[in-house]
Amino acid sequence: MKKPIFTGSGVALVTPFSEKGVNFEKIGELIEFHITHKTDALIICGTTGEKSTLSVPEHKDVLRFCAERVNGRIPIIAGTGGNDTNASVALSQYAEYVGYDGLLLVTPYYNKATQKGLCVHYGTIAENTKLPIILYNVPSRTGVAISLDTLKYLDEKYENINAIKEASGDVAFAAKIKAHTNLCVYSGNDDVTVPIMALGGQGVISVVANILPEETHNMCELVASGRLDEANKIYLGMLDVMDAMFFEVNPIPVKTAMNLLGFEVGGFRLPLCEMEEKNVARLEDALRNYGLLQ
């Protein structure tokens, strides 16, 4: 297995907004919150961070700000993927320049790609940065899945293609990746973190860790140390909150939950919009049942 960029709970950090744009003061507060509450790594400008509606200057500003604020205290991973290979190369090189520990590269969406195209896309980025790369397989959002043969090829050909964020929801596919490649495997869905880690996965890139960072860290730590019964107690207790994070498309529920809990992370960039009232009520029930709301 290749050396992991991190083990345990990596939070897919939200991007807070104000009426003026990105709320950098709030990002700083969130970074300190996560470091204090045992989050093992920060993933900046991923799907949960609304990367697709950040302008290029905003994206760079957020990457630079977070690198400077973290200052090497925990690993930081930059979401620099997209459906334009050259743009992804440029952002990846910028992330390397400002001091990131790794990259998260989603499969190209809308224009999609053949498996050959994925090989060339990822290979081009890998050849233009020294940073370790986490591939991001999330076919429900991008319309294209990375095949096992493609993963085997990329793993063997590129030393810095290091890992996969596996978000297809198919635990059997995660097992095949562990069996047939040297890639580290991170769960891309909170609700299969324990099963994937029990198969030898290195952790999770988590949405729910935005509101339950210490619990997510503890769960991962317990699995890694072989204490599955204790890990499952945390995992099963969190399951309804994990599910609530996807009552609507991510990151609408998690940002709504954070605002309900007093984090004041602001709203969304269109086409994302405010959560429907019936779903807010369901979300509040899940948070209340867990003990996060009165």
Side-chain angles (χ1 to χ4, degrees), residues 16-260:
F17 295 122
S18 68
E19 292 181 358
K20 298 179 180 179
V22 175
N23 187 339
F24 288 96
E25 181 179 358
K26 184 60 64 174
I27 294 177
E29 292 176 12
L30 294 178
I31 287 170
E32 299 307 321
F33 170 76
H34 281 288
I35 291 174
T36 300
H37 288 85
K38 299 184 179 181
T39 291
D40 298 293
L42 297 172
I43 291 78
I44 310 299
C45 295
T47 304
T48 309
E50 296 177 76
K51 169 196 173 295
S52 58
T53 49
L54 294 174
S55 69
V56 172
E58 284 178 325
H59 195 153
K60 288 184 172 181
D61 286 346
V62 172
L63 291 180
R64 186 184 68 252
F65 177 88
C66 291
E68 291 174 353
R69 186 60 178 261
V70 172
N71 194 27
R73 288 178 289 171
I74 60 174
I76 48 173
I77 295 152
T80 57
N83 62 351
D84 178 342
T85 304
N86 290 331
S88 291
V89 167
L91 276 173
S92 298
Q93 291 175 332
Y94 183 79
E96 183 174 356
Y97 171 73
V98 297
Y100 275 72
D101 298 291
L103 306 171
L104 179 67
L105 301 178
V106 70
T107 53
Y109 39 81
Y110 188 70
N111 51 10
K112 300 166 58 174
T114 63
Q115 294 302 307
K116 179 181 178 180
L118 290 178
C119 290
V120 177
H121 170 77
Y122 283 126
T124 299
I125 300 169
E127 289 169 356
N128 283 280
T129 179
K130 295 178 181 177
L131 288 180
I133 289 167
I134 304 173
L135 309 177
Y136 182 9
N137 188 42
V138 58
S140 65
R141 293 190 75 131
T142 65
V144 61
I146 311 175
S147 74
L148 185 60
D149 284 343
T150 295
L151 291 174
K152 289 165 68 176
Y153 168 81
L154 293 170
D155 171 43
E156 292 169 4
K157 186 170 177 63
Y158 300 101
E159 183 59 34
N160 62 331
I161 292 185
N162 175 273
I164 183 166
K165 177 184 177 184
E166 172 45 37
S168 70
D170 185 349
V171 176
F173 186 62
K176 291 175 184 176
I177 298 169
K178 291 298 297 182
H180 297 290
T181 78
N182 293 307
L183 296 172
C184 301
V185 177
Y186 297 102
S187 175
N189 297 319
D190 284 298
D191 61 359
V192 291
T193 299
V194 169
I196 285 180
M197 288 194 71
L199 290 167
Q202 279 59 57
V204 61
I205 295 178
S206 172
V207 174
V208 79
N210 279 284
I211 59 172
L212 293 172
E214 199 157 345
E215 293 84 350
T216 308
H217 162 85
N218 290 343
M219 176 183 68
C220 292
E221 187 174 62
L222 288 166
V223 181
S225 63
R227 296 157 68 183
L228 279 173
D229 287 346
E230 294 172 72
N232 277 329
K233 185 175 181 180
I234 297 173
Y235 166 62
L236 296 174
M238 291 171 62
L239 200 55
D240 288 346
V241 180
M242 293 175 181
D243 287 346
M245 296 300 98
F246 295 91
F247 284 163
E248 291 186 13
V249 67
N250 178 49
I252 293 174
V254 69
K255 287 187 94 172
T256 303
M258 292 177 78
N259 288 329
L260 288 169

